[in-house]
Amino acid sequence: MNKQILHVHVAEPHADSLARAAETMEALERQEVVDPYFGIGFADIGCMLAVLTPRRWNLIALLREKGPMNIAELTRVTGGNHKNVHQDVLTLMEWHILDRDEEGHIRAPFDELVLDVKLPGTKAA
């Protein structure tokens, strides 16, 4: 079974993501087998940290460690507030970092999250 990897890009130029998509389309047109690519992008580190807060990272890690759970189980295991856990799960699902399995439980489908952060360029002197 192949690892499911989520690529998290921060401040990636649009041209880079478009080039990656074009390369994939060209490979598909040549009828080549293309590995699945899962990626999300954020404009800057502040945007990423607003979505991937420490509490949400802990939810992702907990679901990877313990397996799929429903919101009530997640709330009990984390000792958190039901409303906050529910909102955290919804946010992570909106970003496709979490999803639901066949039984409706919340799961973290990715084996790895690879973080790629582009630093701002320097201004010309």
Side-chain angles (χ1 to χ4, degrees):
M1 182 172 149
N2 292 337
K3 279 187 170 185
Q4 296 284 333
I5 300 172
L6 176 62
H7 299 269
V8 180
H9 298 278
V10 178
E12 177 182 46
H14 293 297
D16 291 359
S17 59
L18 290 173
R20 187 172 44 255
E23 289 171 13
T24 300
M25 294 303 294
E26 289 167 3
L28 290 171
E29 286 175 2
R30 293 187 302 269
Q31 299 183 347
E32 296 175 7
V33 175
V34 178
D35 290 331
Y37 183 88
F38 305 98
I40 57 174
F42 296 95
D44 56 49
I45 197 76
C47 292
M48 187 206 71
L49 293 173
V51 172
L52 292 170
T53 64
R55 188 172 70 207
R56 291 175 183 162
W57 276 110
N58 289 338
L59 279 177
I60 295 165
L62 178 69
L63 287 165
R64 288 297 305 159
E65 180 184 337
K66 305 274 187 198
M69 295 184 212
N70 62 38
I71 300 289
E73 291 169 316
L74 273 172
T75 301
R76 183 181 49 76
V77 170
T78 62
N81 172 285
H82 180 81
K83 182 179 176 181
N84 291 341
V85 171
H86 188 257
Q87 184 57 53
D88 287 340
V89 165
L90 288 178
T91 298
L92 292 170
M93 288 179 70
E94 286 173 13
W95 282 93
H96 303 282
I97 298 167
L98 299 180
D99 66 12
R100 291 189 188 275
D101 66 12
E102 298 80 27
E103 289 84 38
H105 293 101
I106 308 303
R107 69 183 188 116
F110 298 101
D111 301 299
E112 294 181 24
L113 272 71
V114 176
L115 182 59
D116 179 16
V117 180
K118 303 289 188 244
L119 296 174
T122 57
K123 291 185 178 182

